[in-house]
Amino acid sequence: MGKQKNIIIILLLMFISISFEFFPQIDSLKMVLKNAKSDTAKSFYLNKISDQSIKNGLINESIELSNQSLVFSEKSKYYKGEARANFNLGKASFINGNYKKAISYFEESKKIYTQINAKISSGNCLNAIGNAYLFQNNSPKALQCYFDLMVLQADIKDSLGLAITQNNIGNVYYQQNQLDKAKAFYNKALNQFYLIKDSVMATMSLDNLANIYADENQNEKALELYFKVLISRLKEGDKLNISNSYDNIGIVYKEKNEYEKALTYFNKSLIIRKELDYKEGLVLSYSSIASCYVSQKKQNMAIENYNKALQFAIQTTSFIGIQDIELKLSEVYEVLNNNKMALLHYKKYKIARDSLFNEEKTENTVKAEMNYEFDKIQTADSLKTVETKKINDLKLKQEQTQKIALYFGISLIAIFSFFIYNRFRLSNKQKKIIELQKISVEAKNLIIEETQKEILDSIHYAKRIQYALLANEKVLQKNIPEHFVLFKPKDIVSGDFYWATEHDNKFYLAVCDSTGHGVPGAFMSLLNIGFLSEAIKEKNINKPNEVLNYVRKRLIESIGNDGQQDGMDAILVCFDKTLNTISYSAANNEPILISNNNLVSELSELPKDRMPVGKGERMDSFTLQTIDFKKGDTLYLYTDGFADQFGGPKGKKFKYKSLNDLLLSNENKSMLNQKEILIDAFTGWKGNLEQVDDVCIIGIKL
């Protein structure tokens, strides 16, 4: 529930950066605009109407009005109008999700306001910039903007602005899941809003507090506050936030298992979001309704609503939304035992998840190249078909002509001998043309085949590079004599990898699953291997948890600045030869330890941190764990590829429990036999279905 609330509450931030004055209705403003004579007046009223349009959810109209205002204000050198128009364009870009563009507009607005010494408006810009950075998950820059703003507001004695900034700092701490700090700042802001009698802003802070109580599962307190917020918003007539309030109330009722009440409020929110054509909100509404139906075991109604949510997620090109919905659809179809559809949506989920990796660069480039080569092959095939048809048609025509000539030639050979000779010459000419065309098509086919070969050769060469960086068998044999490695990429190159190194009388072994598979996954695996080696070999970091912390930091610095969530799930194990101990740190994937106690084998799933090595919802330090073992125990490290494989008689996932049962039942066999059993089990389960992900399993006899 907390994740959904995060989305809802942050959407409210856009209203914080509006100057808080009374706006007449749009129609009244348009009448005044019609009678305006000077360019300055036109710019002023265009900005007023643009403000009101944003409040009513008319974003495209607001952009058009702001651009018109810019023309008039620049013409008349009306700097305040120019600054306000840029500010409104920033708000519109913010709502449309283009935060970089929004920051650019807000910065331009702030620059102009600073020049004309409009400190309050300059502060509003600084606040809006902080909000945009917050949406980009850049908390340090957001906080810096807010703290700079507090200095300015204290200087000009802007008590309203100071309260707004305190509220925003609460939002940052809320995003970081520091709920006590968030609650403290929200309460400071709320008290200040009550003091200056600003009911609109007090409502917003009250809503933020309600979100925290909801996240803490204090549902009754959350509902009490949400209904207070709803009453205020109904008085204000703020449609977008009314829909958010309905949604929040619905979420709490769903948490309480009161599904009919939850559906009532989700549907109220849906009606408003349809009216506003608020696509991101519609994704959330339909998904929430579907989740209620899942809880009520009304799977078909859930599918219908998830599909509606999916349509809007695709329109907004939200790969995160698409990913979540596709996974939910796969799970619903699995409950219905419709394994064909479950597999189909699981594949789509994987595609959407992998698309988060370098979405605008690597994957689109690779797809474009592959589509280009595929189109060329199709074109060549089409040309070949056309030319073959030409040859057949010409041959048929030639045969018909020759037959006619033969029949008439018996009686009229003398008359038509000249024409037959000409036909013969024409036929030879046509044959030569056809032969030349055939040669041309064959040449094109050879070029396409050569290009394909070059691409495949490049990928195979990349495979050689990747395999050269994987753990060396001699190093593994030296440090863990009894072991096996099952490594089965989905494509030629892999996002999964296993890596090992020796340093300071310690042996490190990692089994990791990078974002993506195939070419994008391989790029990520090479990057991750480089950072692991850098942490241990160059930075002399010796604890596995600190190594993963360092790798996460380097990943975010290198590729995480655009809101991407690239990284890896990982297990990093350290064998200390001096102390004869084993320590590890695990991100999302847990190690498996099988011990033999009194001739009975027992399997333990060792602890893990539920967060990736990369940008995620949690950014806590990874935990250092130790393994209590005795000689003869077996340790297994694996990624999710084996367990997630669809197959078997009903086309279902293999699942982790089945994998662990398989390991437990065969742990007393030799390492080589265990590997063969796993390969046979995977191949038999998969059957004729496609492999859905990379597979990596390492077994170690301790």
Side-chain angles (χ1 to χ4, degrees):
M1 180 169 72
K3 184 178 178 183
Q4 286 183 317
K5 288 203 183 310
N6 261 358
I7 295 167
I8 294 166
I9 186 58
I10 293 179
L11 283 170
L12 302 181
L13 284 170
M14 72 176 189
F15 295 108
I16 298 169
S17 54
I18 299 172
S19 69
F20 303 99
E21 53 188 304
F22 175 73
F23 292 124
Q25 292 301 312
I26 288 179
D27 290 341
S28 304
L29 287 167
K30 284 182 177 178
M31 288 295 294
V32 177
L33 174 64
K34 206 171 182 182
N35 297 320
K37 303 297 182 185
S38 68
D39 290 341
T40 299
K42 289 174 183 175
S43 172
F44 178 83
Y45 287 110
L46 281 165
N47 283 334
K48 290 277 189 182
I49 300 168
S50 174
D51 276 323
Q52 192 70 1
S53 295
I54 287 178
K55 192 172 183 183
N56 289 341
L58 305 171
I59 308 306
N60 291 332
E61 183 177 318
S62 172
I63 292 170
E64 186 180 340
L65 292 163
S66 296
N67 281 317
Q68 288 176 25
S69 174
L70 270 180
V71 173
F72 287 117
S73 56
E74 287 170 358
K75 227 168 115 183
S76 60
K77 294 186 179 179
Y78 175 40
Y79 298 117
K80 188 176 179 182
E82 186 181 347
R84 189 67 199 182
N86 273 294
F87 190 80
N88 285 346
L89 286 167
K91 286 192 290 184
S93 299
F94 184 98
I95 294 167
N96 285 335
N98 193 336
Y99 307 122
K100 281 187 177 179
K101 199 171 182 180
I103 290 169
S104 175
Y105 280 124
F106 291 144
E107 290 280 11
E108 181 63 25
S109 181
K110 179 177 177 290
K111 179 181 170 185
I112 299 168
Y113 279 132
T114 303
Q115 286 171 352
I116 62 176
N117 201 31
K119 290 186 177 180
I120 292 177
S121 296
S122 180
N124 282 340
C125 293
L126 198 54
N127 181 57
I129 295 166
N131 295 342
Y133 277 126
L134 185 58
F135 265 70
Q136 288 183 316
N137 292 322
N138 193 336
S139 298
K141 280 198 173 182
L143 280 172
Q144 186 60 56
C145 287
Y146 297 147
F147 289 134
D148 288 347
L149 180 58
M150 285 179 71
V151 172
L152 186 150
Q153 288 162 336
D155 180 47
I156 62 175
K157 296 181 174 56
D158 179 11
S159 55
L160 170 61
L162 196 59
I164 292 169
T165 306
Q166 288 170 333
N167 186 84
N168 279 2
I169 293 171
N171 286 329
V172 177
Y173 285 126
Y174 181 84
Q175 282 299 95
Q176 294 176 336
N177 207 32
Q178 298 185 51
L179 300 185
D180 288 338
K181 284 186 178 180
K183 205 183 287 185
F185 274 96
Y186 287 149
N187 275 312
K188 283 180 184 178
L190 182 63
N191 291 334
Q192 185 66 23
F193 288 136
Y194 282 146
L195 193 64
I196 60 178
K197 298 180 180 178
D198 191 320
S199 61
V200 174
M201 297 308 296
T203 298
M204 184 191 62
S205 287
L206 201 62
D207 193 48
N208 292 343
L209 279 169
N211 289 331
I212 293 181
Y213 286 118
D215 283 352
E216 292 175 337
N217 292 320
Q218 296 186 48
N219 292 326
E220 297 305 325
K221 182 66 176 176
L223 277 176
E224 177 192 337
L225 296 182
Y226 278 141
F227 277 114
K228 284 183 181 178
V229 169
L230 177 60
I231 291 166
S232 296
R233 286 178 174 168
L234 287 168
K235 288 177 183 176
E236 294 160 18
D238 186 346
K239 290 185 178 180
L240 181 61
N241 278 326
I242 289 169
S243 74
N244 291 337
S245 287
Y246 284 140
D247 210 69
N248 286 344
I249 292 167
I251 290 169
V252 178
Y253 276 126
K254 182 177 178 294
E255 287 293 305
K256 294 178 68 181
N257 300 326
E258 296 181 33
Y259 302 119
E260 292 305 324
K261 284 185 180 179
L263 283 168
T264 298
Y265 284 97
F266 285 145
N267 279 303
K268 285 183 177 184
S269 176
L270 177 65
I271 290 166
I272 296 174
R273 288 169 176 176
K274 280 182 179 177
E275 182 185 337
L276 297 177
D277 193 27
Y278 174 34
K279 293 182 174 58
E280 290 84 357
L282 288 169
V283 174
L284 184 59
S285 288
Y286 281 120
S287 295
S288 298
I289 291 168
S291 69
C292 269
Y293 285 131
V294 168
S295 299
Q296 292 178 306
K297 303 191 185 308
K298 297 177 180 178
Q299 312 298 350
N300 290 325
M301 294 180 77
I303 289 168
E304 180 185 340
N305 282 278
Y306 275 134
N307 280 322
K308 288 177 181 177
L310 187 59
Q311 289 173 15
F312 288 105
I314 291 168
Q315 287 179 36
T316 59
T317 62
S318 166
F319 279 111
I320 294 175
I322 294 168
Q323 169 188 320
D324 291 342
I325 297 164
E326 291 290 5
L327 183 60
K328 293 292 184 187
L329 279 166
S330 177
E331 290 169 352
V332 174
Y333 277 115
E334 196 170 356
V335 171
L336 291 172
N337 290 319
N338 188 336
N339 299 316
K340 183 178 178 182
M341 291 300 292
L343 175 57
L344 173 65
H345 285 287
Y346 188 80
K347 285 181 181 177
K348 289 182 177 179
Y349 152 71
K350 285 282 190 179
I351 291 167
R353 189 188 72 175
D354 295 344
S355 296
L356 291 173
F357 164 66
N358 214 352
E359 173 191 334
E360 295 178 354
K361 296 178 184 176
T362 305
E363 183 169 284
N364 287 344
T365 301
V366 171
K367 281 184 179 178
E369 288 175 354
M370 293 305 181
N371 287 340
Y372 176 64
E373 296 306 325
F374 181 72
D375 289 343
K376 286 206 293 187
I377 292 167
Q378 282 192 317
T379 302
D381 288 344
S382 300
L383 284 171
K384 195 170 181 180
T385 303
V386 170
E387 296 306 330
T388 304
K389 189 176 184 304
K390 280 185 182 178
I391 293 167
N392 292 335
D393 289 345
L394 285 169
K395 283 183 178 179
L396 182 60
K397 187 175 181 181
Q398 180 185 339
E399 288 171 4
Q400 289 173 341
T401 304
Q402 287 173 345
K403 284 179 183 179
I404 293 167
L406 180 61
Y407 295 147
F408 280 89
I410 294 171
S411 55
L412 303 170
I413 189 166
I415 299 171
F416 289 98
S417 59
F418 176 75
F419 295 102
I420 292 171
Y421 174 68
N422 279 345
R423 174 56 60 189
F424 175 73
R425 285 201 317 171
L426 179 61
S427 178
N428 280 342
K429 188 177 179 180
Q430 288 172 333
K431 282 183 180 178
K432 286 179 182 178
I433 291 169
I434 292 166
E435 288 300 323
L436 286 171
Q437 288 172 334
K438 284 176 68 179
I439 291 167
S440 174
V441 171
E442 287 169 2
K444 287 177 182 176
N445 284 339
L446 285 172
I447 292 168
I448 291 167
E449 287 171 8
E450 188 62 30
T451 305
Q452 279 184 298
K453 184 176 180 298
E454 287 176 8
I455 292 171
L456 286 173
D457 285 348
S458 297
I459 296 175
H460 279 290
Y461 189 74
K463 176 184 177 182
R464 287 173 58 192
I465 295 171
Q466 186 181 33
Y467 275 58
L469 294 173
L470 296 178
N472 184 282
E473 182 57 34
K474 287 182 181 177
V475 175
L476 293 177
Q477 195 63 43
K478 175 185 171 185
N479 291 279
I480 44 173
E482 289 189 75
H483 75 276
F484 73 80
V485 176
L486 172 54
F487 184 59
K488 189 175 177 58
K490 178 185 184 297
D491 303 306
I492 298 169
V493 287
S494 169
D496 284 13
F497 68 90
Y498 60 99
W499 174 84
T501 191
E502 296 175 287
H503 190 65
D504 287 345
N505 210 29
K506 295 181 177 67
F507 171 63
Y508 296 88
L509 175 64
V511 171
C512 308
D513 179 0
S514 304
T515 307
H517 49 70
V519 174
F523 288 158
M524 279 302 299
S525 71
L526 296 179
L527 199 60
N528 289 325
I529 288 171
F531 290 152
L532 284 167
S533 179
E534 181 182 305
I536 296 170
K537 293 284 195 179
E538 296 179 25
K539 302 298 180 181
N540 291 312
I541 301 171
N542 56 24
K543 293 180 180 178
N545 62 318
E546 292 177 1
V547 172
L548 294 189
N549 287 337
Y550 177 83
V551 173
R552 176 172 63 191
K553 177 175 173 290
R554 293 287 284 118
L555 280 168
I556 293 171
E557 289 173 351
S558 302
I559 59 175
N561 293 326
D562 294 326
Q564 296 167 195
Q565 295 185 333
D566 307 321
M568 61 178 174
D569 296 335
I571 305 171
L572 177 61
V573 183
C574 174
F575 298 81
D576 191 320
K577 299 174 187 176
T578 305
L579 302 174
N580 196 28
T581 59
I582 302 176
S583 59
Y584 76 93
S585 190
N588 280 333
N589 291 341
E590 68 268 13
I592 301 298
L593 183 69
I594 298 180
S595 302
N596 197 301
N597 298 318
N598 300 322
L599 302 178
V600 177
S601 295
E602 295 179 355
L603 183 145
S604 303
E605 296 179 3
L606 301 182
K608 65 181 177 183
D609 289 312
R610 295 184 181 276
M611 55 183 177
V613 182
K615 187 172 284 188
E617 290 183 15
R618 283 183 59 203
M619 298 290 287
D620 303 334
S621 176
F622 288 98
T623 308
L624 180 65
Q625 310 280 3
T626 57
I627 299 177
D628 295 324
F629 69 97
K630 60 181 182 298
K631 188 172 178 57
D633 288 354
T634 311
L635 180 67
Y636 297 95
L637 316 175
Y638 55 61
T639 60
D640 61 357
F642 198 116
D644 282 349
Q645 180 60 46
F646 282 85
K650 296 183 179 180
K652 292 188 174 183
K653 287 183 193 176
F654 194 85
K655 296 191 177 176
Y656 288 100
K657 185 180 184 305
S658 299
L659 175 56
N660 290 340
D661 288 346
L662 184 62
L663 295 174
L664 182 61
S665 62
N666 293 285
E667 65 87 24
N668 59 339
K669 295 182 172 62
S670 71
M671 291 287 106
L672 180 60
N673 282 347
Q674 288 189 50
K675 179 178 178 179
E676 290 171 349
I677 289 166
L678 286 168
I679 292 171
D680 290 344
F682 184 81
T683 305
W685 182 262
K686 182 173 76 69
N688 295 324
L689 295 178
E690 178 188 348
Q691 184 174 334
V692 298
D693 203 354
D694 303 320
V695 173
C696 184
I697 303 177
I698 292 184
I700 306 162
K701 185 68 77 174
L702 302 175

